[in-house]
Amino acid sequence: MITEFLDSRRTTGLKMPGDVKAFIVQLFNKLAFDRHVAFEEAEQFVGFQTIVVAMGSLGQILPKPFYMFLSSTSRQYAQYVLEFEPYVENRYGSDLRGSCAPSSGGISVPTDISTAVGVLYSTHTTNPYPAKEEIPARKELEFSGRTSASLLL
């Protein structure tokens, strides 16, 4: 699965971070639920997940009268929960019923992976790691932390 993804990106190009995030959605679905998710479907999920995360922050400051504008997002959220519920229950039992929120988890891992891939392979002038020297042994976590922090600058 990973080889096929990377091979396809060699010919079509790798869009960062979207392609990596969508691939991680595919990978997580395969590993957790033995479920195939088309790349286009994974891209749609990533887009929706991004909206849900933004709404989590923005929703804190929105006055109540504006909530009505979020109804389509609420409906789509409910659809994803209903879609994932049988997979979660089948895999983990009824203890996790109702806890398959599309915004919980699944964002930090693909974000960190896409950061690392971008930093290691990008030839753009904005790359904070242009030297491409070898990462010293036992310094991998330090490198990871520095690359993630560089996004905040």
Side-chain angles (χ1 to χ4, degrees):
M1 188 172 184
I2 295 170
T3 302
E4 291 86 1
F5 171 74
L6 293 174
D7 285 346
S8 72
R9 291 312 174 260
R10 276 192 194 101
T11 57
T12 63
L14 183 64
K15 293 181 290 185
M16 297 296 291
D19 284 358
V20 173
K21 287 182 178 183
F23 174 69
I24 297 297
V25 168
Q26 288 183 299
L27 188 62
F28 282 2
N29 272 274
K30 186 66 177 164
L31 294 174
F33 306 124
D34 195 27
R35 176 179 185 242
H36 171 77
V37 175
F39 191 76
E40 295 76 21
E41 185 182 348
E43 286 179 307
Q44 290 172 354
F45 182 82
V46 168
F48 177 72
Q49 190 178 46
T50 303
I51 290 169
V52 169
V53 170
M55 288 293 123
S57 299
L58 184 60
Q60 301 297 316
I61 60 170
L62 273 180
K64 192 172 183 173
F66 288 95
Y67 288 1
M68 67 182 177
F69 296 111
L70 304 177
S71 61
S72 66
T73 303
S74 296
R75 281 192 300 277
Q76 190 173 4
Y77 188 94
Q79 287 172 337
Y80 273 121
V81 169
L82 291 174
E83 178 183 333
F84 279 94
E85 228 170 19
Y87 295 102
V88 171
E89 189 166 329
N90 185 49
R91 174 74 190 260
Y92 301 104
S94 60
D95 292 342
L96 296 176
R97 183 176 287 134
S99 65
C100 49
S103 60
S104 61
I107 284 188
S108 58
V109 171
T111 299
D112 285 350
I113 290 172
S114 60
T115 300
V117 169
V119 166
L120 289 172
Y121 297 103
S122 172
T123 57
H124 196 272
T125 57
T126 60
N127 185 348
Y129 186 66
K132 309 266 191 290
E133 71 263 9
E134 195 171 313
I135 301 168
R138 294 179 301 282
K139 295 289 186 178
E140 295 87 355
L141 288 176
E142 181 182 326
F143 171 78
S144 176
R146 283 188 296 152
T147 56
S148 295
S150 70
L151 290 178
L152 301 173
L153 301 176

